[in-house]
Amino acid sequence: MPRFSIIVPCFKVQGFLRECLDSVLEQSYRDLEVIAVDDRSPDGCGAILDAYAARDDRVRVLHLPENVGLGRARNAGLPHATGDYLFFLDSDDTLAPGALRAAADRLDETGDPDVLVFDYARTYWWGGTRRNALAHVLADCGQDTFTAAERPEILDLLMVVWNKVYRRDFVESNGFRFPPGYYEDTPWTFPVMLSAERIATLDRICLYYRQRRQGNILSTTSRKHFDVHDQYERVFAFVGSRPELAGWRPYLHRKMGEHCLDILAKPDRLPPSDKGEFFRRTAELFRAHRTAEPVPDELRVLEGGYQAYRARRLAGRAGRELARRGGQARAAAGARAQRAVGAVQARRPLDPHLVVYSAFSHRGVLGDPGAVYFTAREIAPQLRGVWVVRDEETAARLPDGVEHVLLDSPAYRRVTARAGFFVNNVNWPGSLVKRPGSVHIHTHQGTPLKYMAADLLERPGARYGVDVPQMLRRADRWDHSLVANPHSELVWERAYPCHFASARTGSPRNDVLVNAGEGAGAAVRARLGVPDGRTVVLYAPTRREYVRGGHVDRIDLARFAADLGEDHTLVVRLHPSLATGPARGTGLAELHRRGILVDATDEPHVEDVLLAADVLVTDYSALMFDYANLDRPVVVHADDWTTYAASRGVYFDVTAEPPGHVSRDYRELARLFASGGWRDEESARLRAAFRERFCAFDDGRAAERVVRTLLLGEPMPQRARVHVPGPATSRDLLAST
């Protein structure tokens, strides 16, 4: 008996069906059966299903003699299911890699609950991906099982059938079935969730919900949307047959009103001539099932007539337009006031002791600017350092004693108008005017491998959404560009054809790495929860420009952690641009919760994470250049190097001149760690050559060098020896510059 019975109803989805089935059959977890129901589809769905069944005995196909609709097609598959759990998968959606393994593990962990609710992400026809906005509910429900009465917030999630798996015995004992018509999920999901005695959650994206441009039932204009009224009548009938559920009637009454009004408000659901009738039917249903509870303000409209509803909608639109215009007027007035304040401040002399700092788009005391700031506080206390932060929440996380201003506040305009120095690793906003005599120091964010700034003009795909001319206009304000090696110096002068001087200071944030003594990462390892004696493998992938959103799962993290063995701890740090997207929801957060790996994406200081690692596994992240200062092994996992290099553009072939061994597929990566080859003599030789080239100016005194030479105008008593490497052995795009 399989663990999962996956029921897939199919109707006019031949363009998506193969992708759906492949996402199931290629799962690493194979204890499953697929019951595919051909709902008399007029296209090629039936033939596609038969072809899959012929080559995979886990697939069974039912060809229905007539079209019965989505709900009853699911019902047709139910008697053929033999699995412990039922999974209803729509044939234009797909499972995320590793979804079934994660679900099976969570079911085992919670002792086979009645229902397991998991997360999903919407994938749009134009290429975008957006995670469920209420994903936090899954984590907030905790690790134990519960009932809907104990955790009513679980019902705030999208009430559909496909974001859950159901214990088959529970479904059969209660006789749950789908009704005909649109919104068939409603009279299934509410009864199931209210009846379940043990519900569990899985905070992981297991399904991609396809948002089709056309052909989606919910975006089809039709009178069939009137079916929602019958579906809620079925819900109320179910609750009425179970006295113990009577307390849910006020909640369901409110949900019904909200749902129906939402359908009515959508411009593409109902024919315009039918909207009045739909409103009247909704109002009748609302009155018929009204309880003693007070009617929420937003639903009082159902107590009046359709014309009053329309008038309220029109008034709401007019109010929003008025508010929008008022906001524009206030913004314009505010801008005029800001310019006036700025003009007054600009007439005052510059303060040669005022240094304004920012890092990573005003996210706090971080990176190179942070290292410069702390060094300046130590050796140049006469300098007043002020940080620009984006909001009060960021300000609350600043270290004690750090003076700050909020972006675009009056205090921000005062300090930026008078500051003698500006230190940033991201371009300042265009509204900031550089006064004559002020000095702008740009630190960058590391050594560049991929094309940057003006070089992106050769890569239209890579510069999508990037305004290169604006970027260069802002870079025209730079006076000094910090570099850690001759390679960076050449790149920045090529990528930013502006009037600045390259400062061979080294990278200030890397001082802590260069000066790291024995056991420097112990405190960080303890904070991350790494047991003593473990070898820490840090996996730090970068983003991809050849996919929308930038995230591609290159490695099965659970498999990698298992293959490394119990004497290793896998630590993962995503690229900062992926930290708030769906990337963590596809498994990383769940694996962290289960202790299979450590998610260090939220660690504010990447240098701490580097110190904690014994070896770095990366693809093309700039962290490899920083990590080389520690003289610890690096493995470059380059399974898509050709695609990455062609789409983004790169300055040199890192697979030909790597900081350590290169793996071209997962087998090679696993073999390197199984054999110990990741730290052999060849690895050390490659690392030494890489360090000589890319860590040339990093001597542990970079921050001091910036403070003394650029902020104070003093000579540096001991300058780092500068070594310019010879020509690269492979083709280097910078060799001729």
Side-chain angles (χ1 to χ4, degrees), residues 7-14 17 35-50 60-70 72-74 76-77 91:
I7 298 175
V8 186
C10 307
F11 182 74
K12 296 177 70 172
V13 287
Q14 64 178 8
L17 184 53
I35 301 168
V37 183
D38 173 17
D39 189 17
R40 194 67 175 172
S41 185
D43 58 7
C45 284
I48 293 170
L49 295 176
D50 290 339
R60 283 185 289 161
V61 182
L62 302 178
H63 295 282
L64 301 185
E66 61 180 357
N67 177 251
V68 298
L70 182 58
R72 287 188 288 184
R74 290 170 179 155
S91 47

Side-chain angles (χ1 to χ4, degrees), residues 687-703:
R687 186 166 69 253
F690 193 84
R691 288 181 67 223
E692 184 178 13
R693 181 178 182 187
F694 294 110
C695 303
F697 306 152
D698 281 332
D699 63 351
R701 302 183 69 184

Side-chain angles (χ1 to χ4, degrees), residues 306-434:
Y306 180 59
Q307 294 306 320
Y309 164 78
R310 289 191 62 195
R312 181 171 174 174
R313 293 269 300 168
L314 291 173
R317 265 186 228 143
R320 287 191 294 273
E321 177 62 18
L322 189 62
R324 185 185 67 82
R325 293 182 179 180
Q328 290 177 334
R330 286 191 296 274
R336 288 193 295 271
Q338 291 176 20
R339 287 193 293 271
V341 171
V344 171
Q345 294 293 332
R347 288 194 291 270
R348 300 178 64 188
L350 292 175
D351 183 346
H353 295 108
L354 176 58
V355 186
V356 175
Y357 295 89
S358 181
F360 300 107
S361 300
H362 323 300
R363 288 197 294 116
V365 184
L366 303 166
D368 290 311
V372 172
Y373 168 77
F374 283 116
T375 300
R377 287 217 308 190
E378 180 182 345
I379 66 175
Q382 69 272 29
L383 296 178
R384 175 191 172 200
V386 179
W387 280 85
V388 178
V389 294
R390 57 187 178 183
D391 51 37
E392 291 286 4
E393 183 179 351
T394 305
R397 296 195 298 266
L398 293 176
D400 292 340
V402 174
E403 185 179 355
H404 71 277
V405 294
L406 297 182
L407 180 67
D408 290 332
S409 65
Y412 165 82
R413 290 187 286 277
R414 285 194 295 270
V415 298
T416 55
R418 298 203 57 211
F421 297 92
F422 293 82
V423 182
N424 200 348
N425 64 359
V426 177
N427 263 324
W428 290 97
S431 58
L432 191 153
V433 178
K434 176 178 169 62

